[in-house]
Amino acid sequence: MSTAYLTCPLCEATCGLAVSFDGDTVTSVRGDDDDAFSHGFICPKGASLKALHEDPDRLRTPMVKRDGEWRQATWDEAFAEIDRRLVPLVAEHGPESVAFYLGNPSSHNLGVTLYGRAFYKAVGTPNIYTAGSVDQLPQHYSSGYLFGDPLSIPVPDLDRTQHLLLLGANPLVSNGSLMTVPDARGRLKAIRERGGKVVVVDPRRTRTAEVADQHHAIRPGTDALLLFALVEVILREGLADLGRLADHVSGFDDLAELAAPFTPEAVAPHTGIATTEIETMARELAAAGSAAVYGRIGTTTQEFGTLASWLVDVLNVITGNLDRPGGAMFPLAAAGQTNSTVPVRNPAQQGSSPGKGWRHGRWHSRVRGLPEVMGELPVATLADEILTPGPGQVRALVVVGGNPCLSTPNADRLREAVQTLDLMVSLDVYLNETSEHADVILPGPTPLERDHYDVTFTQLSVRNMANWSPAALPTDQPQEWETMLRLAGIAAGQGPTADLGALDDLMATQTAARYGLDVTVAGERRGPARLLDLMLRGGPHDLTLAELEAAPHGLDLGPLTSRVPELLRTVSGQIELTPEPITRDVPRLVAALGRPLAGPDELVLIGRRQLSSNNSWMHNLAPLVRGSNTCTLQVHPDDADRLGLHDGGVAAVRSRAGSVTVPVEVTDGVRPGVVSIPHGWGHSSPGTRTEVASAHAGVNSNVLADDLFVDALTGTAVLNGIPVTVTPAEEQSWTG
């Protein structure tokens, strides 16, 4: 018997796990009581690590499609097939004929995070798409223009705040999102126990709303209106106080004019929140001893997602709560800087560098002219790029740990598009709704068979920490970093048998140079361990990988600390509170005040998250698709009565993009006029090999998401506030 201490790589919380083995057999997975960050907390996802490791549907050898049939292949055969087809395609049509889609699982993988960039750079295409444009690009865009770096994202200092305002966020289920936080329930409970207050704004009475002091059921898609009204009250009543940031903020004087149209009286009819409630929210926020405003996917995946993200930070600034204990603060990660989906880049490649600010739109998509943001294009236009003939047409797609044919807007259209490609390669461990259309599938080892350090999410942590997890089990499978280097060798013209050692040395030399180090300080290490050691040595906490190896339960590097002005990378060297690339969208929001109010018969669709679910990629694990983790249409009793729906019945839901039939769940947990379907379901394709997921198929809410309905500034798809019609359906017509 033995026990390995690991960091869970399955969601953003990065909880510590104690995994026990009898030989190579997993006997138990439990929370690590001694973990420096999570202190024994574990959620159902972490507990499912054994099921993921042992899943019989998991691919363990490469798959190559021959004459429409899948066949197992050796690794050499798989790479030779990619070389045979990718290189001449790029030679004939140019690098822009290749597109990448990087899914959420890739951001939880150290090898992909650190080595994927070698492959992407070797291809040289501008067509990079990620899950970020499905859920988070507005936050990066806002941070880029306010602070000069799209990766400088403030997070609530949960352990010290006295007042927490959450919009469109459900951390008791998500375990944080763009906010790394184990045991969110315990931390929110602690706020209330020390006399603080938790306020939730959400169209649904979520698990987080149930434990909050107040819940405001907002009309979906109107968060920017509410946030601007809070700003208007604070400014009009003289409640603003920049505190220690007073000498580090520019643009404050422009706010009052921008906010003037958004009085509580003007926005109340649109938001569904009463004027007096809005005024009270603003006054309490401004009066709190310390406070943090936090908006998440409900605010970023709507029509005014960037404005909403910006206004969250505006409120933190004007109440004096940005960059101070108990407010919204900037983590100081021990190693490097990357984000959850975009390949590692140096500041110049991100569009920013010290003192030169940040910019977006350095190139645009070919068909719809949507702007690049942080090196990627909006996935809402990927199908256009594949289906539209002409120079620059995407003819090959490489999917890295993602399922875009299920998880992106107007998913059916993308599914049709990928079937027209000349070449598709998936790096995935499942034959899923996307990889079923590939020509080659390259699997990777299980989380227990690879080293792990969370480069991405330590940058978003509510407390500074570092934790190294060496592989707990041996494997004969190539590690993902080796796969990425072989693919980089192919793209660079070195063929499928390129010298991986030489490529790895090049990566290490470049990493060392970035931090002003001699590469030899990392000794005999290879692969991600060497790169991470260099990043730790060059990082702000002056650590080494050896120190982390000696601390199997992780290192607590202390609470968040104030980092302004040193953190700022804007041209002015200040927080640019009203940057033109953001405020130019305010007139469109003003115009929204003139729209007719929603009628009693109008319905809008929102998504929802479930504790045992992480998008689509864990639905083949039996422990995570049982109990209340089901795919239903939640509808308010008043709407159900009006529409002739009943609990347990079936409804047809239609939007401009598509339609689904789905079981009905009547609940007062959603506000009238709102219906909700969870994200990530729809496992009904006969071409997949996911027995558990297929037996719990559900319906795909992204069939209803409109790829033409996007945030104007970033092109991020609107997933919350989609106009739909709902009617009763025959039970035998349920597509789930």
Side-chain angles (χ1 to χ4, degrees):
M1 299 291 290
S2 62
T3 299
Y5 298 100
L6 310 174
T7 299
C8 180
L10 302 183
C11 81
E12 296 189 31
T14 69
C15 299
L17 303 178
V19 184
S20 296
F21 299 90
D22 184 355
D24 289 346
T25 301
V26 180
T27 57
S28 72
V29 180
R30 62 189 188 278
D32 177 9
D33 293 335
D34 296 319
D35 186 83
F37 189 36
S38 59
H39 307 292
F41 178 81
I42 188 173
C43 83
K45 292 189 287 292
S48 72
L49 204 62
K50 172 180 168 67
L52 178 60
H53 178 72
E54 298 174 351
D55 189 350
D57 286 335
R58 186 185 181 96
L59 300 179
R60 288 169 168 80
T61 60
M63 304 288 288
V64 175
K65 191 176 290 180
R66 303 287 190 194
D67 299 321
E69 299 292 331
W70 284 112
R71 299 181 183 178
Q72 290 187 356
T74 67
W75 286 93
D76 286 343
E77 289 171 340
F79 285 117
E81 178 71 4
I82 295 170
D83 182 57
R84 182 180 72 83
R85 299 177 63 177
L86 178 64
V87 173
L89 186 147
V90 172
E92 181 178 356
H93 300 288
E96 65 274 13
S97 65
V98 181
F100 287 94
Y101 177 82
L102 316 181
N104 277 330
S106 67
S107 65
H108 297 268
N109 187 303
L110 180 64
V112 173
T113 299
L114 297 184
Y115 284 82
R117 63 191 175 109
F119 182 26
Y120 316 141
K121 184 177 180 180
V123 173
T125 179
N127 289 312
I128 292 182
Y129 305 83
T130 85
S133 63
V134 180
D135 64 15
Q136 69 187 50
L137 272 192
Q139 181 62 68
H140 293 292
Y141 184 108
S142 174
S143 292
Y145 282 110
L146 264 68
F147 312 122
D149 189 333
L151 304 178
S152 293
I153 296 177
V155 302
D157 185 13
L158 291 184
D159 294 333
R160 292 181 288 188
T161 194
Q162 289 297 111
H163 188 99
L164 180 64
L165 174 58
L166 301 163
L167 300 99
N170 188 12
L172 265 66
V173 168
S174 68
N175 290 314
S177 181
L178 292 182
M179 176 179 69
T180 297
V181 51
D183 192 15
R185 179 183 291 273
R187 284 178 158 88
L188 267 59
K189 180 181 178 182
I191 294 173
R192 301 181 68 186
E193 288 177 344
R194 59 178 177 260
K197 187 171 186 177
V198 178
V199 180
V200 170
V201 176
D202 199 292
R204 292 181 57 243
R205 189 174 63 248
T206 63
R207 289 194 182 195
T208 304
E210 288 174 349
V211 304
D213 295 279
Q214 288 182 354
H215 170 221
H216 301 278
I218 193 171
R219 177 81 176 170
T222 64
D223 296 78
L225 293 175
L226 171 65
L227 289 162
F228 237 144
L230 299 180
V231 171
E232 194 274 340
V233 172
I234 289 170
L235 295 177
R236 174 167 46 83
E237 297 188 0
L239 304 177
D241 182 1
L242 301 184
R244 62 171 293 273
L245 296 182
D247 294 333
H248 304 295
V249 175
S250 64
F252 173 77
D253 293 339
D254 299 325
L255 265 182
E257 182 178 353
L258 291 169
F262 303 99
T263 63
E265 294 82 2
V267 307
H270 296 272
T271 62
I273 301 176
T275 297
T276 55
E277 293 180 1
I278 296 173
E279 292 171 339
T280 299
M281 290 170 65
R283 292 164 186 158
E284 290 183 349
L285 178 66
S290 62
V293 184
Y294 169 70
R296 197 39 207 110
I297 194 166
T299 60
T300 55
T301 59
Q302 59 176 269
E303 183 182 4
F304 298 100
T306 300
L307 287 181
S309 298
W310 166 64
L311 288 163
V312 164
D313 286 332
V314 166
L315 281 169
N316 285 321
V317 169
I318 68 173
T319 57
N321 285 300
L322 184 77
D323 197 45
R324 74 156 181 160
M329 305 190 75
F330 299 94
L332 187 62
Q337 206 173 43
T338 180
N339 85 331
S340 62
T341 51
V342 177
V344 176
R345 299 179 175 87
N346 62 41
Q349 290 171 311
Q350 290 170 3
S352 64
S353 57
K356 294 185 178 180
W358 179 80
R359 60 191 177 93
H360 80 293
R362 293 170 295 163
W363 61 89
H364 292 74
S365 65
R366 177 180 63 102
V367 179
R368 288 167 56 185
L370 297 178
E372 162 272 339
V373 178
M374 207 168 55
E376 66 175 280
L377 293 170
V379 74
T381 194
L382 176 56
D384 303 315
E385 297 298 318
I386 297 171
L387 293 172
T388 305
Q393 179 182 5
V394 169
R395 299 170 182 270
L397 176 65
V398 181
V399 179
V400 182
N403 195 358
C405 291
L406 191 69
S407 60
T408 58
N410 202 345
D412 280 352
R413 183 167 183 256
L414 183 60
R415 183 176 298 179
E416 294 169 1
V418 299
Q419 295 178 61
T420 69
L421 291 165
D422 295 337
L423 173 66
M424 181 173 166
V425 177
S426 282
L427 280 71
D428 210 299
V429 297
Y430 287 114
L431 187 57
N432 61 25
E433 292 77 14
T434 296
S435 62
E436 66 169 315
H437 303 295
D439 299 288
V440 180
I441 306 176
L442 303 174
T446 77
L448 298 178
E449 298 167 338
R450 62 174 181 249
D451 299 339
H452 183 64
Y453 178 93
D454 217 308
V455 175
T456 298
F457 297 112
T458 51
Q459 296 173 76
L460 299 164
S461 178
V462 299
R463 189 173 180 88
N464 294 317
M465 48 76 64
N467 200 333
W468 166 254
S469 300
L473 292 174
T475 180
D476 293 331
Q477 276 195 301
Q479 296 288 327
E480 284 95 345
W481 69 272
E482 296 172 304
T483 296
M484 283 297 185
L485 286 184
R486 287 194 73 172
L487 292 170
I490 289 171
Q494 298 178 24
T497 59
D499 185 342
L500 298 192
L503 292 174
D504 185 29
D505 287 342
L506 177 61
M507 293 285 292
T509 300
Q510 292 174 343
T511 301
R514 187 189 312 169
Y515 294 101
L517 298 172
D518 186 324
V519 71
T520 61
V521 299
E524 299 300 314
R525 298 185 188 275
R526 309 293 298 176
R530 175 164 55 167
L531 267 57
L532 179 62
D533 187 44
L534 293 167
M535 294 164 69
L536 289 167
R537 291 173 183 272
H541 297 279
D542 193 27
L543 291 172
T544 66
L545 184 53
E547 291 176 273
L548 293 188
E549 289 172 327
H553 305 288
L555 292 178
D556 181 356
L557 302 175
L560 306 185
T561 57
S562 297
R563 298 185 60 201
V564 172
E566 292 80 11
L567 164 133
L568 301 176
R569 295 291 181 268
T570 56
V571 174
S572 65
Q574 295 186 307
I575 297 170
E576 297 182 356
L577 200 58
T578 54
E580 188 276 336
I582 294 177
T583 58
R584 68 185 181 200
D585 201 31
V586 172
R588 191 169 64 95
L589 188 62
V590 174
L593 289 173
R595 294 177 183 174
L597 297 177
D601 296 338
E602 294 182 61
L603 292 173
V604 293
L605 173 72
I606 63 172
R608 67 179 188 270
R609 186 80 172 266
Q610 295 159 312
L611 181 60
S612 296
S613 175
N614 196 353
N615 302 321
S616 68
W617 60 291
M618 291 183 195
H619 287 166
N620 206 54
L621 306 182
L624 300 184
V625 290
R626 60 190 180 190
S628 61
N629 193 29
T630 56
C631 184
T632 61
L633 176 79
Q634 291 186 340
V635 57
H636 190 274
D638 293 348
D639 293 321
D641 289 343
R642 176 174 56 82
L643 297 169
L645 303 175
H646 65 275
D647 196 72
V650 179
V653 186
R654 298 176 177 85
S655 72
R656 186 204 72 85
S659 65
V660 298
T661 53
V662 58
V664 173
E665 178 185 350
V666 179
T667 172
D668 63 1
V670 294
R671 62 165 286 146
V674 175
V675 293
S676 174
I677 301 175
H679 179 81
W681 297 84
H683 308 286
S684 56
S685 174
T688 63
R689 296 183 191 174
T690 50
E691 182 177 356
V692 173
S694 298
H696 301 79
V699 301
N700 185 6
S701 62
N702 283 309
V703 171
L704 302 168
D706 191 340
D707 52 344
L708 301 181
F709 190 21
V710 298
D711 170 55
L713 297 182
T714 65
T716 300
V718 173
L719 302 181
N720 289 291
I722 301 169
V724 294
T725 60
V726 179
T727 57
E730 295 293 334
E731 296 200 13
Q732 61 265 29
S733 69
W734 173 34
T735 57

